[in-house]
Amino acid sequence: MTATTSSTSGTASRPGGRSAKVRAAVHRAVQVVVSEDSLDVLTIPVIAARAGVHATTVYRRWGTVGDLLADVATSRFTGDLVVPDTGSLRGDLERYAFDLAKDLGDPDTLALVRATIGTGGEQGAAACRGERERGLDAILERERARGGQPPALEHTTDGVLAPLYYRAVFTDLPLTTEWARDLVARLLPDDDA
Amino acid sequence: MTATTSSTSGTASRPGGRSAKVRAAVHRAVQVVVSEDSLDVLTIPVIAARAGVHATTVYRRWGTVGDLLADVATSRFTGDLVVPDTGSLRGDLERYAFDLAKDLGDPDTLALVRATIGTGGEQGAAACRGERERGLDAILERERARGGQPPALEHTTDGVLAPLYYRAVFTDLPLTTEWARDLVARLLPDDDA
DNA sequence: GCACAAACGCAGCGATCACTGCAATCCAAA
DNA sequence: TTTGGATTGCAGTGATCGCTGCGTTTGTGC
């Protein structure tokens, strides 16, 4: 409740401390509940019980299920996506798309995304993007440093990120690697290999 | 909209009857609550109170907030989107994109989409797509009848639908008409006007 | 006009939720 | 080791939720 956003991990993030363990346990519990159970039991007491923590703790540190989901989504979608470096723009983008497709194709991840969008509000939805666009920008920047002329970040987002998210969230179509490769192929001109 | 009669409104869809009025009132109440209040008060009693209906009625007809949201989203996103017919593929797609951008740009609509994704599960997310892809397919089919060679439905979905939904749901960027026009321009080859 | 079925309103039940003082515990610094 | 601040556990409260019989009203067919 005390500025959930910044200070959630603020005073309680000394690695190895009890706070950090509680935080990790709660995060795991959220993922488990979101994945296994129905969405209508996604409540603080249930999560706390799954985490082996008292509900009071969760109420005090996060306050709302929405804030908790946004926090989980933030730490889930930031930092674990390594920016590929294959040497070519096309290779980087394809690798990027494959990784993202694999990630969003995971039912657990998808359930977390959907729940976070619904309950986490505006910042929850933003947390689901995480650092994806930053990673994309890094790829384009590297190509620029190589002397190439990559498409704009906006075009790349529209052409690669958006279809992956849309198909994952709104449809039940599979996120195949062939389709992901097509997305990159349609974005880049066909002249180079 | 005649399709909706099959499931939820089955016995209660005689136009003008009391059931239909209750249904409409509840649907309006859902939209109001989703738009104005926080998402955590999106509960049957609150919706029923807003609609001037007893909660028992809502429990019996819909059962769950998720089912109710899916029903609202279904009737909201099916039938109200007229397929444009401007005479050219580009004109049709641009008009389609403009309409969709305007629709998804509405905060109330967006709130409904987000809530439905979160609470309505798989079918809720599918309901948010509604008949959009069918409308897109109609546009492409008309171009095909004209003798043209429009892009595949999958490509059009990835190039127009997906970016619109992604930007609306996951970002706070505005859905401008210029950007929507760009989406169509990037999808179609530049040779024709 | 009458009877029948469906839908709705009403009151109340158990269960759960969100939240709050107070005590105990833990971690870090002196 | 001791001290101080912060975090967590505990028990309890009011409020709300989801749901269920029962009576009433509405709309339709005879």
Side-chain angles (χ1 to χ4, degrees):
Chain A
M1 34 166 68
T2 57
T4 40
T5 49
S6 63
S7 71
T8 306
S9 57
T11 55
S13 66
R14 297 181 202 89
R18 188 163 65 138
S19 299
K21 285 175 184 166
V22 169
R23 178 183 159 93
V26 170
H27 278 214
R28 271 194 305 271
V30 167
Q31 183 64 65
V32 169
V33 173
V34 165
S35 302
E36 295 183 354
D37 302 339
S38 173
L39 274 301
D40 52 359
V41 297
L42 188 67
T43 178
I44 303 275
V46 173
I47 296 169
R50 280 272 192 176
V53 178
H54 259 75
T56 315
T57 302
V58 182
Y59 279 118
R60 279 201 263 256
R61 286 187 60 168
W62 287 278
T64 312
V65 179
D67 293 335
L68 176 55
L69 275 176
D71 187 41
V72 173
T74 299
S75 68
R76 169 73 178 77
F77 295 121
T78 53
D80 66 332
L81 193 72
V82 289
V83 179
D85 188 0
T86 64
S88 75
L89 174 62
R90 186 182 300 268
D92 286 354
L93 287 178
E94 285 183 349
R95 190 60 168 275
Y96 180 92
F98 293 166
D99 291 345
L100 185 53
K102 185 182 177 185
D103 195 16
L104 288 177
D106 178 34
D108 297 349
T109 304
L110 183 56
L112 177 63
V113 169
R114 286 205 178 120
T116 305
I117 292 172
T119 323
E122 183 80 38
Q123 64 175 355
C128 290
R129 289 183 298 141
E131 305 273 316
R132 310 277 196 198
E133 294 183 12
R134 191 182 303 270
L136 217 47
D137 197 31
I139 291 178
L140 300 178
E141 177 58 36
R142 187 175 318 134
E143 173 70 8
R144 238 174 271 123
R146 255 190 231 112
Q149 278 194 324
L153 175 60
E154 181 181 287
H155 293 194
T156 314
T157 302
D158 295 337
V160 178
L161 253 184
L164 280 162
Y165 269 87
Y166 171 81
R167 183 173 275 210
V169 172
F170 290 97
T171 79
D172 53 354
L173 299 173
L175 277 62
T176 63
T177 56
E178 292 79 15
W179 173 70
R181 199 191 318 271
D182 270 4
L183 291 177
V184 176
R186 268 176 263 152
L187 175 71
L188 299 179
D190 294 339
D191 40 28
D192 66 348
Chain B
M1 44 177 63
T2 51
T4 49
T5 49
S6 59
S7 59
T8 311
S9 60
T11 55
S13 68
R14 297 182 201 88
R18 188 160 67 134
S19 298
K21 285 175 184 169
V22 168
R23 177 182 159 95
V26 170
H27 278 214
R28 270 194 305 271
V30 167
Q31 183 64 65
V32 170
V33 173
V34 165
S35 302
E36 295 184 356
D37 303 339
S38 173
L39 273 303
D40 52 357
V41 297
L42 189 67
T43 177
I44 304 278
V46 173
I47 296 170
R50 279 273 192 177
V53 177
H54 257 77
T56 315
T57 303
V58 181
Y59 279 117
R60 278 200 264 256
R61 286 188 61 168
W62 287 278
T64 312
V65 180
D67 294 336
L68 176 55
L69 275 177
D71 187 41
V72 172
T74 300
S75 67
R76 168 75 178 76
F77 296 121
T78 53
D80 65 333
L81 193 71
V82 288
V83 179
D85 189 0
T86 64
S88 75
L89 174 62
R90 184 181 302 268
D92 286 355
L93 286 178
E94 287 184 349
R95 189 60 167 273
Y96 180 93
F98 293 166
D99 291 346
L100 185 53
K102 184 181 176 185
D103 196 17
L104 289 178
D106 178 35
D108 297 350
T109 304
L110 182 56
L112 177 63
V113 169
R114 286 206 178 118
T116 305
I117 293 172
T119 323
E122 183 81 38
Q123 65 174 355
C128 289
R129 290 184 298 141
E131 304 273 318
R132 311 276 197 198
E133 293 184 12
R134 190 183 304 272
L136 218 46
D137 197 32
I139 291 178
L140 300 178
E141 178 57 38
R142 185 158 40 214
E143 173 69 9
R144 236 173 273 123
R146 254 189 233 112
Q149 278 194 326
L153 175 60
E154 182 181 285
H155 293 194
T156 314
T157 302
D158 294 338
V160 178
L161 254 184
L164 280 161
Y165 269 88
Y166 171 80
R167 181 173 278 211
V169 171
F170 289 98
T171 79
D172 52 355
L173 299 173
L175 277 63
T176 64
T177 55
E178 293 78 17
W179 173 70
R181 199 193 317 272
D182 270 5
L183 291 176
V184 177
R186 267 176 265 153
L187 176 70
L188 299 180
D190 295 340
D191 39 28
D192 66 348

